[in-house]
């Protein structure tokens, strides 16, 4: 038994916000700085009351429609998010309620920007075990809600959005290989080191990052974990049709492609228009490339995540 992606969907809230728009809001930055350091030109930002489950709902409906399924058909809902609606219940349960699904297994995965790759791997294992047959795997984030808008080193980098896939049991693969890793020794280079206690926020409720440490870590592990996945599946990197790494920075994407000896025209890039949408970035990019016809049935796709924790991972699949 294997698992296969049978439907993909995504959702971006509101209008695209440009770098100049951010500079116009009083952030001491410029389009030139942001584009040259990150490749980011636009991002979408959710409204104040708009939550991860709201964005997840729109992306999920589109993925279910693409798969030709109803919400009641899925028996597993996994939501990858670091910006959950509540402390509890899980965003997956809130999404389940909005979708009108009753009884499916539902839980969140917290692996920051690797969250979707973690969630997809977990769902693959549920399906391959025979316990579940149809999963909805979602990456949904409203990082704009946890940004310190006075910290120009972080607030220009992130955006909001959601992406979803339907993963179904199949006799034909599907997902060919997966690899997940973490090293909590690096927990402090990218974190939101706050919590709620006694009715108050304790610690710091905003995203903090050592950008250069994150950059170096990301480039190294993205190339390594892709190689590990290829080896596990017996697939050469040159056989990969499309590489979809976590969309954090075009320089990270370029360095990863170079290390993997892949031309940039095989890399799906959305960070220029979406910014870094954390767990949503990989399914958003996957959906874009499926809908515009770049990704076709039978092609080999490498999905990769890297983020806070530190966490990293990859999924190699045949579409
Ligand atoms: O999902 C993973 C999430 N994180 C990432 O992917 C981030 C990975 N890291 C990066 O992409 C880069 O490290 C950044 C884009 C975050 C920063 O680029 P950098 O080349 O490492 O710049 P820096 O932090 O060393 O800052 C260089 C200068 C500083 O000024 P001084 O001290 O040289 O005068 C900063 O204050 O750039 C300044 N700066 C800015 N200037 C204009 C920092 N942010 C901005 C800004 N606009 N938004």
């Amino acid at each position: 038994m294997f698992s296969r992606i049978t439907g993909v969907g995504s959702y971006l809230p509101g209008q695209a916000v440009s770098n100049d728009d951010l500079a116009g809001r009083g952030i001491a930055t410029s389009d030139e700085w942001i584009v040259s350091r990150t490749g980011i030109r636009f991002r979408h930002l959710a409204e104040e009351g708009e939550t991860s489950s709201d964005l997840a709902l729109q992306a999920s409906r589109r993925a279910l429609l693409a798969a030709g399924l109803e919400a009641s058909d899925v028996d597993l809902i996994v939501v990858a998010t670091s910006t959950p609606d509540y402390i509890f219940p899980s965003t997956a349960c809130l999404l389940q309620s909005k979708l009108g699904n009753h009884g499916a297994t539902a839980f969140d995965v917290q692996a920051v920007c690797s969250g979707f790759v973690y969630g997809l791997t977990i769902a693959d294992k549920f399906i391959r075990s025979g316990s579940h047959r149809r999963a909805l795997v979602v990456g949904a984030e409203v990082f704009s809600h946890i940004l310190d808008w006075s910290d120009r080193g972080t607030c220009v980098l992130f955006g909001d959005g959601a992406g979803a896939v339907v993963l179904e049991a199949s006799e034909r693969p599907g997902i060919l290989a997966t690899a997940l890793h973490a090293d909590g020794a690096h927990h402090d280079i990218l974190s939101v080191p706050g919590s709620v206690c006694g009715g108050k926020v304790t610690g710091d409720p905003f995203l903090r990052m050592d950008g250069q440490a994150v950059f170096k870590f990301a480039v190294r592990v993205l190339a390594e974990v892709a190689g590990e996945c290829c080896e596990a599946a017996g697939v050469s990197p040159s056989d990969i049709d499309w590489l979809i790494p976590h969309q954090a920075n075009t320089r990270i994407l370029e360095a990863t492609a170079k290390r993997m000896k892949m031309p940039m025209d095989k890399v799906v890039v959305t960070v220029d228009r979406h910014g870094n949408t954390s767990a949503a970035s990989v399914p958003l990019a996957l959906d874009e490339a499926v809908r515009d016809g770049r990704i076709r049935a039978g092609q080999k796709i490498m999905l990769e995540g890297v983020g806070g924790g530190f966490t990293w991972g990859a999924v190699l699949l045949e579409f």
Side-chain angles (χ1 to χ4, degrees):
M1 185 63 72
F2 297 99
S3 75
R4 287 186 72 79
I5 290 179
T6 58
V8 190
S10 66
Y11 179 74
L12 291 162
Q15 302 296 314
V17 176
S18 71
N19 296 335
D20 286 336
D21 291 336
L22 292 185
R25 292 178 188 184
I27 298 165
T29 191
S30 66
D31 182 58
E32 194 279 325
W33 190 95
I34 300 173
V35 172
S36 64
R37 304 278 174 140
T38 72
I40 297 168
R41 293 176 187 276
F42 298 96
R43 76 284 294 143
H44 289 249
L45 304 177
E47 297 293 330
E48 203 177 310
E50 205 170 10
T51 64
S52 288
S53 73
D54 292 330
L55 309 191
L57 176 65
Q58 302 303 331
S60 300
R61 282 186 175 147
R62 290 172 187 179
L64 287 165
L65 190 68
L69 295 179
E70 302 290 334
S72 55
D73 294 327
V74 303
D75 53 12
L76 173 64
I77 299 173
V78 182
V79 175
T81 187
S82 303
T83 48
D85 294 22
Y86 299 159
I87 289 177
F88 71 81
S90 68
T91 304
C93 284
L94 300 175
L95 172 65
Q96 178 180 37
S97 164
K98 288 179 181 180
L99 282 168
N101 172 291
H102 302 276
T105 308
F107 57 88
D108 287 359
V109 170
Q110 160 59 291
V112 200
C113 305
S114 312
F116 182 77
V117 164
Y118 263 70
L120 194 59
T121 300
I122 293 164
D124 174 58
K125 293 187 188 303
F126 269 72
I127 289 175
R128 290 177 73 129
S129 77
S131 68
H132 293 69
R133 293 198 61 81
R134 284 177 177 149
L136 182 63
V137 183
V138 187
E141 301 280 16
V142 285
F143 260 50
S144 65
H145 294 181
I146 55 165
L147 295 174
D148 175 355
W149 289 95
S150 67
D151 176 9
R152 66 178 181 172
T154 54
C155 71
V156 302
L157 305 175
F158 295 90
D160 302 330
V165 301
V166 173
L167 195 67
E168 294 193 64
S170 163
E171 281 169 15
R172 188 166 64 93
I175 291 181
L176 302 172
T178 62
L180 298 180
H181 296 284
D183 186 349
H186 305 282
H187 66 274
D188 55 350
I189 62 173
L190 178 54
S191 64
V192 181
S195 61
V196 173
C197 180
K200 291 197 271 301
V201 174
T202 60
D204 184 348
F206 294 119
L207 183 148
R208 303 298 175 199
M209 179 173 73
D210 176 346
Q212 290 184 2
V214 169
F215 193 102
K216 286 181 202 146
F217 201 101
V219 170
R220 179 171 64 79
V221 298
L222 284 172
E224 271 174 21
V225 78
E228 181 185 343
C229 242
C230 281
E231 210 173 299
V235 167
S236 158
S238 60
D239 294 332
I240 296 170
D241 295 290
W242 294 103
L243 178 65
I244 309 185
H246 167 51
Q247 307 280 314
N249 182 316
T250 43
R251 291 190 293 143
I252 294 178
L253 301 183
E254 284 162 4
T256 303
K258 193 170 163 199
R259 284 188 179 213
M260 290 178 65
K261 299 187 173 57
M262 285 186 73
M264 273 308 282
D265 58 12
K266 284 186 164 188
V267 182
V268 179
V269 179
T270 55
V271 68
D272 53 332
R273 287 154 294 118
H274 299 174
N276 179 345
T277 58
S278 189
S281 88
V282 169
L284 268 161
L286 176 66
D287 186 45
E288 180 173 291
V290 169
R291 283 178 196 267
D292 69 19
R294 273 178 288 173
I295 292 181
R296 296 190 304 275
Q299 289 187 327
K300 289 191 174 56
I301 321 291
M302 177 74 80
L303 309 178
E304 292 192 276
V306 60
F310 239 69
T311 57
W312 64 101
V315 173
L316 178 63
L317 60 91
E318 198 170 281
F319 196 73

